[in-house]
Amino acid sequence: MIRPSIIARSARTAALCLPAPGAHYWLCEKTAWRLSSPDDARDLQQGVADTVVTLLHGLHPARRYRFEAEGFQPVSFRTTPCAGLIDAADFGLLPDIAPADLDGAGANAAALAEAIAAVPSGGTLYLGAGQWTSLPVGLRGQRTLHLAEGAILQAPSERTGWPILPAHDHSGRMLGSWEGLPAACFAAPIHAVAVEKLVIEGRGILDGSGDRGDWWRWPKETRDGARRPRGLHLISCRDVTLLGFTIRNAPSWTIHPQGCERLTAAGLSIIAPPDSPNTDGFNPESCRDVTITGVRFSVGDDCIAVKAGKRGPNGEDDHLMETRNVRVSHCLMERGHGGLVIGSEMSGGVHDVCVEDCEMIGTDRGLRLKTRRGRGGSITNIAMRRVRLDGVETALSVNAHYHCDADGHDPWVQSREPAAVSSATPVIDGVTIEDVEIRRLAHAAGAFLGLPEAPVRNVSIRRLKIVSRDPEAIATPPIMADHVRPMRHEGLVVEQAEIDCDDPALISAASVSLSFE
């Protein structure tokens, strides 16, 4: 029998993985489970699991539990202690404040700040059921924010009085950012800076109110001296755990860990409308040791975008840090520009990223690597294993001519002639694809476009299966680079890339680029 694993646990919540063979996000069959405690015979829960990553709520601190599920070995665990439970409602929090009521939102922000200050180290701030509108609040480390079922913590729709994070703090560390560069930005509705051992958990909802204000109407602009806020912004934090909650309608990127270490996200729901600009789901930037598991995405841009900062227009690089060891598993990407994306802000280097046992439905691309001349840095050791793609237009995309930024279409970026190699030349080396299944293929199973001066190296593809093709697909360029020809129902299309495929018949004889004659 298969033994479940404990992904993460807090005083009142636990996330378990039920790794049934062949299961991605959903279990192949629903599984009845029972949770008991040898410490208290009255503490008994029963339920039915339909997802591989299962969240257990309503637990008690510092208590032993035994989890039993049909077809799995029993597993025991102990919840963590809690040094005290503080109810935010005891601090004058006002319910049902209208999103446009800035006075009420400000009063609630002050009440929440007072409540957060009252939570002892190792304690929990409890936000009960109700709709709570608040200006942005900063969280403290060594504490838990518990969002009860029915709790909605929402940002106001207006930005008057909204705090702004400067580009740097007094020590020069990057605080505010925008697309990989230091920049003043509005503080996220929930944010934390340089904290350790933070937990955000529960069945409740964080709502960024991006759909209510004007945030989505100026996606690339600066207003009032700042860029748009994220939904949840974690800056230079360590040992962060995110469990079970829903986060929606972020003004820009939804969850943005920046310069963080040891972060686990399990069982979240991340939601934004399909036409909302740059509402990426989860963007770890310059982070180490990140686990994203059992998360359901439906967003307006990339579901997960792994980043490592961007070299400045004059070569500025003192803000760059690498991203290393990102593990994505048992996630469901139902819509988005890409399922698992790396770049294009990758100048600090992105290494050791693995996506396994996931399902991507209706995303534009599945695994997507994007960079361009001027970025520098390297992308190494990237893997995709046991992933099912359904209705994904281009399953695999590796593009070193990505036409981002104001000069992205300039000849020096898009030329297919070799350029001089320098510190601004990006490198892609080491991509492993195994046991990937593609259904309703539209454009290409894979499009690989490297630089002539730095070809894509060491791509290994094993057991890639094209089950079906979309009969209504229209020939379209499969990657965002200039001079790329439209494609429909093609296999692996390769230019300036080294591909080792166990089925050579999948590799097209045609080039990615249009003829330059």
Side-chain angles (χ1 to χ4, degrees):
M1 296 177 71
I2 301 168
R3 181 177 177 81
S5 61
I6 307 298
I7 300 167
R9 56 193 171 86
S10 67
R12 294 171 177 82
T13 307
L16 284 76
C17 179
L18 308 178
H24 295 93
Y25 178 81
W26 302 104
L27 288 168
C28 300
E29 296 182 359
K30 294 182 180 181
T31 300
W33 57 263
R34 179 178 183 271
L35 183 69
S36 59
S37 173
D39 295 335
D40 189 340
R42 298 167 298 176
D43 192 355
L44 177 67
Q45 293 186 32
Q46 297 183 69
V48 176
D50 59 359
T51 55
V52 173
V53 175
T54 296
L55 273 290
L56 304 174
H57 298 277
L59 309 183
H60 295 275
R63 185 168 293 184
R64 293 178 297 162
Y65 285 94
R66 177 181 172 87
F67 177 85
E68 300 168 273
E70 294 179 1
F72 295 87
Q73 293 182 21
V75 62
S76 297
F77 64 93
R78 186 183 183 94
T79 53
T80 62
C82 178
L85 182 69
I86 300 296
D87 191 333
D90 294 340
F91 291 79
L93 203 61
L94 304 172
D96 302 321
I97 296 295
D101 183 350
L102 291 177
D103 291 337
N108 275 348
L112 283 171
E114 186 180 355
I116 291 168
V119 178
S121 179
T124 298
L125 177 64
Y126 176 87
L127 185 66
Q131 182 168 287
W132 314 99
T133 302
S134 173
L135 282 166
V137 294
L139 300 180
R140 295 188 178 188
Q142 310 282 342
R143 289 158 176 82
T144 295
L145 172 61
H146 185 93
L147 304 167
E149 185 171 11
I152 302 175
L153 180 57
Q154 68 180 13
S157 58
E158 304 296 327
R159 62 178 182 274
T160 303
W162 198 292
I164 292 175
L165 289 177
H168 300 93
D169 65 9
H170 64 278
S171 68
R173 174 178 55 194
M174 183 167 70
L175 286 181
S177 68
W178 184 255
E179 295 186 347
L181 290 170
C185 67
F186 289 99
I190 295 292
H191 58 275
V193 179
V195 306
E196 297 187 4
K197 296 183 179 179
L198 170 66
V199 177
I200 305 175
E201 65 177 18
R203 291 189 174 104
I205 297 171
L206 297 177
D207 192 322
S209 291
D211 57 334
R212 297 186 181 91
D214 68 349
W215 302 114
W216 294 343
R217 295 200 291 272
W218 49 282
K220 300 292 185 180
E221 299 176 27
T222 297
R223 294 196 177 178
D224 299 326
R227 296 283 193 167
R228 290 185 291 155
R230 316 301 117 83
L232 170 61
H233 200 176
L234 304 168
I235 303 169
S236 301
C237 297
R238 295 182 179 182
D239 300 304
V240 175
T241 304
L242 310 175
L243 296 174
F245 60 88
T246 293
I247 181 168
R248 66 191 186 194
N249 297 325
S252 62
W253 295 350
T254 304
I255 298 179
H256 181 201
Q258 174 184 310
C260 295
E261 296 183 21
R262 297 183 298 277
L263 183 148
T264 297
L268 308 181
S269 291
I270 300 179
I271 303 169
D275 59 349
S276 53
N278 305 113
T279 52
D280 299 36
F282 202 111
N283 288 11
E285 180 175 21
S286 300
C287 292
R288 285 176 171 263
D289 303 325
V290 177
T291 297
I292 306 169
T293 186
V295 176
R296 188 170 185 172
F297 296 87
S298 182
V299 293
D301 208 311
D302 296 326
C303 295
I304 299 173
V306 182
K307 300 176 181 291
K310 180 169 64 176
R311 196 177 303 273
N314 298 311
E316 301 92 336
D317 61 4
D318 58 346
H319 61 288
L320 301 178
M321 294 189 297
E322 71 173 14
T323 290
R324 186 177 294 272
N325 191 26
V326 178
R327 294 291 179 265
V328 179
S329 63
H330 299 295
C331 290
L332 175 60
M333 292 83 162
E334 293 183 289
R335 191 189 61 238
H337 291 179
L340 190 284
V341 178
I342 298 174
S344 65
E345 302 93 325
M346 44 63 66
S347 300
V350 176
H351 313 286
D352 306 331
V353 179
C354 183
V355 53
E356 297 180 321
D357 302 299
C358 290
E359 187 164 5
M360 302 177 186
I361 303 173
T363 59
D364 295 347
R365 295 161 186 87
L367 177 65
R368 183 185 189 191
L369 280 59
K370 53 184 181 178
T371 186
R372 46 153 286 186
R373 292 180 177 117
R375 286 283 193 263
S378 60
I379 299 173
T380 67
N381 194 23
I382 311 303
M384 171 185 266
R385 300 186 178 97
R386 301 180 303 279
V387 174
R388 181 187 300 145
L389 303 105
D390 189 347
V392 175
E393 295 175 350
T394 298
L396 311 171
S397 170
V398 178
N399 178 11
H401 289 272
Y402 184 60
H403 53 46
C404 56
D405 292 340
D407 60 353
H409 296 282
D410 288 358
W412 72 273
V413 176
Q414 295 298 330
S415 173
R416 305 302 197 262
E417 294 298 319
V421 175
S422 70
S423 60
T425 303
V427 172
I428 300 173
D429 191 341
V431 179
T432 300
I433 309 296
E434 296 177 339
D435 301 299
V436 169
E437 179 182 287
I438 304 172
R439 301 178 180 180
R440 295 189 295 148
L441 173 68
H443 301 145
F448 298 82
L449 177 60
L451 297 172
E453 67 272 19
V456 177
R457 307 287 190 191
N458 297 312
V459 178
S460 174
I461 300 176
R462 298 289 182 268
R463 299 175 298 281
L464 175 66
K465 183 178 182 181
I466 302 175
V467 176
S468 61
R469 293 168 172 81
D470 180 3
E472 299 181 359
I474 298 173
T476 304
I479 55 177
M480 295 177 66
D482 293 349
H483 318 299
V484 172
R485 64 184 178 85
M487 301 181 195
R488 181 177 185 269
H489 297 168
E490 299 210 29
L492 303 174
V493 186
V494 179
E495 183 179 327
Q496 300 296 347
E498 299 175 356
I499 309 292
D500 177 16
C501 180
D502 64 351
D503 184 359
L506 288 173
I507 301 179
S508 173
S511 176
V512 175
S513 298
L514 293 164
S515 172
F516 279 76
E517 296 180 359

